[in-house]
Every structure is written in C-alpha cells, then in structure tokens.
Amino acid sequence: MEEKELVIIGAGPAGLCAAIEARKKNIDVLIIDENIKPGGQLFKQIHRFFGSKQHMAGIRGITIGEKLLEEVEKLQANVWLDSTAYGIFGNRIAGVIKSRKKNVTVKAKAILIAAGAVENPISFEGWTLPGVMGAGACQTMINIHRVLPGKKALMIGAGNVGLIVAYQMLQAGIEVKAVIEIMPKINGYMVHAAKIKRFGVPIFLSTTILEASGKNEVEAAVICPVDQDYKPILKRTKSLDVDLICIAAGLQPLNELLCQAGCQFTYKPYLGGNVALHNENMETTIDGIFVAGDCSGIEEASTAMEEGKLAGIAIAEKIRKRKWDDEKLEVRNRLNDFRIGTFGEKRKISKMEIEKEYYEKVKN
Amino acid sequence: MKKNDLRIYDHPILGKLPEKKRVSIYFNGRKLIAYEGEMIAAALYANGIRALRKTEKFKQTRGIFCAIGRCTDCVMTVGGIPNIRTCVTPVRNGMKVESQKGRGRWKKKNW
C-alpha cells in the first residue's frame, strides 16, 4: 500500500485547482484520473467563459486548462493518468487500477472526490440509435477528436449547454436544423441564443421529440409541439431530415465513489439531483473525504475551480493543523459573486441548505 | 470533404488539424486509416462507421452516446477482448476491432 497526504480523484478543473492550492502549502498530492490526458472536460470548452474578470471570464476553456496544467507541473504534483479509482475503503484508502494494469491501494490523510458529472439522457422512440448522443458527447467529438458525428443535427434543449454546443456544431461545419425546448422559454443566456439565431437556426419552444427514426442509424427526427400540460399536439407533428440528435437535458453528479465511501446525500434539483452533503470547507459527512466541482452539485467550470481551491486550502488546514481563513474567505467571496442571477441564486440557496443539513447530520 | 471522411480539417477557433502519424486498424477485417493516439470510436466515426455493436436480445445497433467512457454504449471486441470502451481506448497500429454481438466472446489475445 502506498501512502500520500492527499489523494485527488479527477484531474478536471476542481481537482487541478485543489492540487495547486495544496501543493502551494507543501502537501504531498497524488491526482488520479481515468483519462489519458488531464483537464477533465475543460479542453472541449472552446468558448469564452462568462462572469467577471476574477473568474477568468473572456478566456476560453482550453486556455484555462493549459494554464492549470502548467501550474500543476510547476508545483510538481504527482499525476497518475489512465488510472481508474474504483473504490474508497474504510479509513481513507483508495483502490486504483494504475495504468489499466496494476491494482494499487493508496492510503491518504484526505481524499478529494472531484469526479465530475454525467449527462442526463432522455428516452423516446429510437433514442438508442447511433446518432443520438449527449450534447457534451458531440462537443467531445468535434472539439477534441475533430470528427463530425453527423452532418445535419437537431439539438434537444435550449439551456446554456444546448445553445453553446449548437453554436460549436455550426463552427465545426454541422448544419443545425433546429433547437427544440419543451419549456415555453429559452433557459440559457440570450447572448448564446442570439448567436445561433444569427445563423438562421430556429429555436422551437414548447416542442418535444417523439421519435428518432432510421434502420441502423438516425435518418430523421420526429418533433411535435406540446400544450400547456406538456402533452404532444400530435396533429402538428413534423419530421426533420437529420442524422444527428443531441440531448442537452442537464447533468447529474457522478456519485458512485461518494456513495461507496458512505457519504450522506440530499436531493437538490437545482444542483442536478442527489448531492453529497458537505460543509463550508467541502468536507462530506465522512471525516477526511472532501468533494468539489460538479460532483458536489452541477454548476460551471468557474465555480468548480473555486470549490477546488477551497477544498485544497481546507484540506491543507486539516493536515497541517493550521488556519488560512483569509484565503478561504477570498475564495468564498468569489463563489458568492458568481452565484447570482436566476439560476445562480437558486444554486446558492441549495448550497446553503446542504451546509445546514450537513450540520444537522454531523454534530460539532 | 471525401464522402466518408468526417474529420474537421479546418476549424475557426482550433485552426488546422495538426499533422499526425497515420496507422492502420481493421474493422471487421476492413482496413481503415486512423491517426496515432486517437480513440478507436473517433477513428471509426471519422470513417463513417457509427453502428459499433448489436444488443444481445433485440439485435439493435448502438454507437457513441457519452464519448467520455461512462455509458459503455460504444463497447466493442478489440484484439479478441470484448467490452472495450472504444471512446476512451486509443488505436494501435494493426489493431483488430470487431463489432460486438451481445455480451461478446473472449478470443485468444492477438494484437
């Protein structure tokens, strides 16, 4: 068994930021990631981030990813790539298949689970056909693999992910036939909706998909408007000539490792579903197990980075038995500044509820 | 763009596709050109192949769904080993990739 002070699972924005903060405080850090390259989903974010300057707004995700990797390398954090953390056992022991070959157990003083999220599917007739995929999956195909998963597309969902990915599909040369949204309004920022409207892409509101048709692959999509009770108005059904259907129906935290570690959960719809209870230091109900990023509730890469920093500092405090309150306050202020607007506000409230529920479960 | 070449050679933000070494892989015995280091599923999609496997009971086709190794919809038999997640497994020169039927069958390792 190997021993480390801090094991971080997931080398995405949250995990990398936590590693940087912990390394600055001279904590012995090991980052484990299943992928061949670090950066999580940052490298498919080719758009400029929003928020204010202190949140690195205006910089593209790919550039932020490169900066983080540079810093991690400079600070000499250990990174195991192509290595799957398959379990958390009692007393903070992580089970890892290192480089897809060797089973290794690592004992740590603290474990940060920053495993990220998984896309929500929605089911409809034909939804399993090749050519139906997550919006994030399409983003990975076009921006990372540089391969078109189809030539003519339908996007389901007009939230930020649906709108941004629809625009990136246009940039990659895919003809986006339409964006449909079952709600009566566009849920994402208008600036993103305007971008695709300028390309002449229609956004059909109060509209759903009935079927993806085709023999072995998607050959068409059948869409239909819905009434006030979200029931399809079948006589207004129409068929779209597409070979690609992308689903942008939100994400949910990847909770397996947190579950296995014995963490307690709460249901928070504005944060993507079941979320591990955690306190203001990102520590879960299990002593020494921390959580950050989408894994602690679905938000943005910008908040994931701040939460990672917060966890990194708090873990260093716990291990070194010291206090860095000023640094934590700065991060918390930035998090608060980011959680504004219709959705940000709801997330902020959900986060506060989580903290409250945490203290109800864990008596000080 | 050639009919079955779905690579994005030029991108307004990402620029030109960097030159990479080409390798050969075999899809159900058919030779295909792939780029060194790219994921198997990406190489297949680039060659216009999207149906990667068939399900056990209803023989339905499946392709990429999540593209990040979570959903296991893209599993194929690679080098005789079934259930390999092709969206997160890179190609190797001479690799034999077969569309998987159902849960697949273990064969002698030969890659």
Side-chain angles (χ1 to χ4, degrees), chain B residues 30-95:
Chain B
R30 190 179 133 204
K31 187 176 173 180
L32 300 173
I33 299 299
Y35 283 10
E36 193 171 47
E38 77 178 340
M39 302 304 156
I40 299 167
L44 294 175
Y45 268 54
N47 283 281
I49 296 156
R50 300 201 297 179
L52 306 181
R53 69 177 177 105
K54 281 201 170 156
T55 58
E56 176 104 14
K57 246 185 180 170
F58 299 108
K59 322 286 178 218
Q60 293 171 333
T61 50
R62 292 281 196 276
I64 294 178
F65 185 76
C66 83
I68 53 170
R70 291 263 62 88
C71 75
T72 67
D73 229 15
C74 67
V75 296
M76 298 175 80
T77 302
V78 178
I81 301 173
N83 301 316
I84 300 291
R85 295 174 299 171
T86 55
C87 73
V88 289
T89 307
V91 296
R92 279 199 238 163
N93 196 24
M95 195 179 238

Side-chain angles (χ1 to χ4, degrees), chain A residues 92-113:
Chain A
R92 299 179 295 277
I93 294 168
V96 186
I97 305 287
K98 192 178 175 183
S99 311
R100 294 198 195 202
K101 284 191 186 84
K102 202 176 151 211
N103 184 22
V104 186
T105 46
V106 190
K107 185 166 174 44
K109 289 185 176 148
I111 296 179
L112 171 66
I113 299 175

Side-chain angles (χ1 to χ4, degrees), chain A residues 34 36 41 46 100 128 130-134 137 141-143 145-149 151 171 216-217 243 254, chain B residues 6-9 11-17 39 42 46 50 61-66 68 70 85 88-90:
Chain A
E34 198 183 18
I36 292 165
Q41 307 309 315
I46 61 167
R100 294 198 195 202
T128 54
V132 179
M133 55 164 63
M141 292 303 290
I142 56 181
N143 296 344
H145 302 321
R146 301 281 296 261
V147 170
L148 299 175
K151 289 179 180 170
Q171 286 178 317
N216 289 319
E217 297 178 27
D243 58 5
L254 215 49
Chain B
L6 295 166
R7 289 184 194 281
I8 303 164
Y9 288 101
H11 190 285
I13 308 287
L14 299 166
K16 292 235 180 305
L17 187 66
M39 302 304 156
R50 300 201 297 179
T61 50
R62 292 281 196 276
I64 294 178
F65 185 76
C66 83
I68 53 170
R70 291 263 62 88
R85 295 174 299 171
V88 289
T89 307

Side-chain angles (χ1 to χ4, degrees), chain A residues 177-192:
Chain A
K177 295 269 182 170
V179 175
I180 61 168
E181 167 64 56
I182 196 160
M183 303 294 283
K185 67 178 174 72
I186 294 170
N187 264 322
Y189 293 132
M190 280 321 285
V191 53
H192 298 304

Side-chain angles (χ1 to χ4, degrees), chain A residues 21-22 25 27 110 280-281 283 290 309-329 332:
Chain A
E21 293 307 314
K25 299 187 167 28
I27 302 287
E280 73 285 8
N281 285 325
E283 190 166 10
F290 290 72
K309 286 179 198 166
L310 185 56
I313 302 167
I315 290 166
E317 283 186 333
K318 193 173 172 114
I319 294 174
R320 292 281 177 266
K321 297 188 173 58
R322 276 189 59 182
K323 286 281 167 205
W324 282 285
D325 281 331
D326 290 352
E327 287 183 38
K328 286 198 299 187
L329 185 68
R332 287 198 193 109

